[in-house]
Amino acid sequence: VRGTRAEIRDILSFGSWMMVSNLVSPLMVYADRFVIAASSVASHLAYYTTPFELVTRLLVLPAAVTTVLFPMMAREQGADRHRVAGSLMVRGMLAMLLVLLPVVIAGSLFAGDFLAWWLSPEFAALAVGPTVLLCWGVLFNSLAQFPFSYLQSMGKVRQIAVLHLLELPVYFMALPWFLERWGILGAAIAWVARVAFDLLALSALSAIIALSGSGQRDD
């Protein structure tokens, strides 16, 4: 009974921290449009949301890959399981970089022409800047999904949740300032800066865990 209670406590703790992260992370991804809608540049919201919805479709690629990698990393056992899982993470990131980097570069170069053809030259003139920035943000966000999955497979959901809880107020305080200073381009800058930081922080935490050999699940 004592062992069963400990297992239940571990499961509840693990699930609670995972729930926190899974709620906060999407909030930071999509809340920017609500902030824009309440700002002085609300009339330009479409010039941000249209390219955002377009380029974030690329996130289905890392989501599909990490769905396959996660159980492979989680089932690794033994003293070196964190290093084996870390190797899978790194190889996944490199493969995703090779796939998405040419797409992002092409999107950056031809975003204006595509938007002008698809919508109008007037729309493209205002939306091209956010589109280019968001393309690179999607690349960073795609790569961040691999250390995110690695940390979850190692049971480090509390660390992920704490990181996102720290990011959330900083992002919400910075976003209005960026909007006031640079308009919708500022919103794109703030979003890209956040996902870039997320990538660096998750990667650094994954490296620390892999090198230290701390592959045990949190209590």
Side-chain angles (χ1 to χ4, degrees), residues 19-34:
M19 181 183 67
V20 170
S21 182
N22 288 339
L23 288 174
V24 173
S25 184
L27 179 63
M28 290 190 292
V29 171
Y30 294 105
D32 47 4
R33 63 196 64 196
F34 297 104

Side-chain angles (χ1 to χ4, degrees), residues 5 17 119 185 197:
R5 288 177 179 174
W17 284 113
L119 296 170
L185 186 64
F197 173 80

Side-chain angles (χ1 to χ4, degrees), residues 3-198:
T4 302
R5 288 177 179 174
E7 290 172 357
I8 293 175
R9 186 178 66 251
D10 290 345
I11 292 172
L12 289 175
S13 175
F14 184 85
S16 298
W17 284 113
M18 182 175 287
M19 181 183 67
V20 170
S21 182
N22 288 339
L23 288 174
V24 173
S25 184
L27 179 63
M28 290 190 292
V29 171
Y30 294 105
D32 47 4
R33 63 196 64 196
F34 297 104
V35 177
I36 296 173
S39 71
S40 59
V41 295
S43 60
H44 288 179
L45 180 61
Y47 301 114
Y48 179 85
T49 56
T50 301
F52 186 93
E53 292 296 333
L54 177 66
V55 300
T56 52
R57 300 301 178 189
L58 292 172
L59 293 175
V60 298
L61 293 175
V65 175
T66 53
T67 299
V68 176
L69 282 181
F70 177 79
M72 296 174 63
M73 292 187 289
R75 75 185 180 199
E76 289 296 331
Q77 300 296 326
D80 291 332
R81 77 184 187 102
H82 48 282
R83 291 196 178 95
V84 175
S87 176
L88 290 172
M89 175 193 70
V90 171
R91 282 185 286 172
M93 292 179 73
L94 290 175
M96 190 56 52
L97 180 64
L98 290 175
V99 171
L100 284 185
L101 185 58
V103 177
V104 169
I105 292 174
S108 300
L109 293 175
F110 301 109
D113 294 333
F114 175 77
L115 290 172
W117 167 79
W118 182 36
L119 296 170
S120 71
E122 294 76 18
F123 188 95
L126 291 172
V128 64
T131 303
V132 172
L133 288 171
L134 291 170
C135 282
W136 290 98
V138 165
L139 177 62
F140 299 149
N141 203 7
S142 298
L143 297 178
Q145 293 192 37
F146 291 88
F148 179 87
S149 294
Y150 169 79
L151 291 169
Q152 282 196 333
S153 71
M154 293 294 104
K156 304 300 181 180
V157 293
R158 179 171 61 86
Q159 288 84 341
I160 297 173
V162 170
L163 173 63
H164 286 161
L165 287 173
L166 291 174
E167 287 181 17
L168 182 64
V170 175
Y171 179 59
F172 273 97
M173 287 188 294
L175 183 56
W177 185 84
F178 278 89
L179 273 171
E180 186 67 27
R181 191 170 182 86
W182 293 295
I184 57 168
L185 186 64
I189 293 172
W191 191 80
V192 173
R194 186 196 66 77
V195 295
F197 173 80
D198 201 47

Side-chain angles (χ1 to χ4, degrees), residues 199-217:
L199 170 61
L200 291 174
L202 291 172
S203 298
L205 184 56
S206 298
I208 291 171
I209 291 171
L211 292 175
S212 66
S214 176
Q216 299 300 315
R217 178 163 292 179

